[in-house]
């Protein structure tokens, strides 16, 4: 037998690949698992199922029902305590700022002077001066009467993407005060590398 005939005989004796069955669109097969169908038709060997268990962390158990705000550890550890001890921020200003951090919704605050004063147990007339001082320090920004924006780099209520979007919105305003990226010089006493 010549070599050509031997090659033809070997080719005919070799196993032929089976043509795969066409995969029907998911809509036509009642929504069965497309990944399983592909594995069954094109894979070799049995299809093994992998079960995944998703563990969700329980929500924080905080006092009150309105959620909580993430506050910069840098601000809480270094800036605010130093400023309070050295009278750079008054007790009233710190109380107003804390009140605004707690009442914010995604960095935005709607509150009258009377509402803040009632919660702090002080006269309404004293709130205006504290708010003005906080605005000068770029901790908050007045948008209009009874409407403020909290500096989202100090504290923010919401997820990271929402904070990122809010920062982009504020930066697009290109404010002369450099809000939200620059605080007053007396509030930037520490380098971030000091935090370790």
């Amino acid at each position: 037998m010549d070599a050509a005939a031997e090659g033809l005989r070997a080719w005919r004796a070799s196993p032929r690949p089976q043509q795969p069955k066409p995969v029907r669109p998911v809509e036509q097969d009642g929504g069965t698992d497309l990944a399983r169908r592909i594995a069954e038709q094109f894979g070799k060997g049995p299809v093994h199922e992998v079960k995944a268990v998703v563990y969700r962390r329980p929500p924080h158990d905080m006092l009150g029902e309105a959620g909580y705000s993430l506050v910069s550890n840098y601000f809480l550890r270094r800036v605010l305590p130093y400023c309070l001890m050295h009278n750079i921020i008054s007790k009233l200003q710190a109380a107003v700022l804390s009140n605004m951090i707690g009442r914010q919704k995604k960095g935005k605050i709607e509150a009258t002077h009377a509402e803040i004063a009632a919660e702090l147990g002080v006269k309404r007339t004293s709130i205006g001066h504290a708010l003005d001082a906080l605005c000068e320090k770029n901790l908050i920004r007045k948008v209009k009467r009874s409407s403020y924006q909290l500096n989202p780099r100090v504290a923010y209520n919401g997820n990271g993407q929402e904070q990122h979007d809010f920062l982009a919105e504020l930066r697009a305003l290109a404010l002369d005060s450099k809000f939200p990226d620059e605080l007053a010089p007396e509030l930037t006493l520490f380098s971030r590398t000091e935090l370790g």
Side-chain angles (χ1 to χ4, degrees):
M1 183 182 283
D2 68 350
E6 183 65 31
L8 182 59
R9 190 171 65 83
W11 178 78
R12 286 182 181 157
S14 66
R16 299 279 179 267
Q18 294 181 354
Q19 292 296 323
K21 297 176 188 173
V23 177
R24 292 179 298 170
V26 173
E27 302 84 39
Q28 293 178 2
D29 72 359
T32 59
D33 184 1
L34 182 60
R36 172 181 278 288
R37 293 183 52 84
I38 291 170
E40 288 171 349
Q41 292 182 16
F42 297 105
K44 296 180 180 176
V47 175
H48 299 285
E49 288 189 24
V50 176
K51 300 266 185 196
V53 178
V54 178
Y55 294 98
R56 297 193 188 278
R57 291 182 181 155
H60 289 84
D61 185 358
M62 308 297 284
L63 182 63
E65 297 176 0
Y68 64 97
S69 302
L70 294 175
V71 184
S72 160
N73 285 343
Y74 170 77
F75 183 77
L76 288 177
R77 176 182 167 196
R78 303 291 279 181
V79 178
L80 187 59
Y82 184 90
C83 291
L84 282 168
M85 293 305 298
H86 297 278
N87 296 318
I88 295 170
I89 291 179
S90 71
K91 290 190 301 185
L92 179 60
Q93 291 167 16
V96 170
L97 178 63
S98 178
N99 182 277
M100 296 190 101
I101 288 171
R103 68 169 58 234
Q104 69 159 316
K105 290 186 172 99
K106 299 189 182 351
K108 298 176 182 175
I109 302 143
E110 301 290 331
T112 65
H113 291 195
E115 290 169 337
I116 297 169
E119 289 186 6
L120 298 181
V122 297
K123 294 182 181 176
R124 183 193 62 78
T125 53
S126 62
I127 298 299
H129 297 297
L131 288 170
D132 289 343
L134 293 172
C135 287
E136 288 173 14
K137 291 173 174 45
N138 266 356
L139 293 168
I140 62 171
R141 175 178 171 260
K142 184 173 184 173
V143 179
K144 60 184 181 183
R145 183 183 175 107
S146 302
S147 180
Y148 298 88
Q149 292 173 329
L150 181 65
N151 188 321
R153 299 190 70 216
V154 170
Y156 191 75
N157 176 271
N159 66 41
Q161 184 61 53
E162 292 167 335
Q163 183 204 32
H164 179 81
D165 294 345
F166 187 46
L167 281 166
E169 177 186 319
L170 292 172
R171 288 170 177 149
L173 298 174
L175 299 168
D176 290 339
S177 67
K178 306 285 190 236
F179 184 90
D181 291 308
E182 289 184 21
L183 298 179
E186 64 269 23
L187 299 182
T188 53
L189 303 169
F190 307 102
S191 131
R192 288 169 197 243
T193 57
E194 287 183 45
L195 299 179

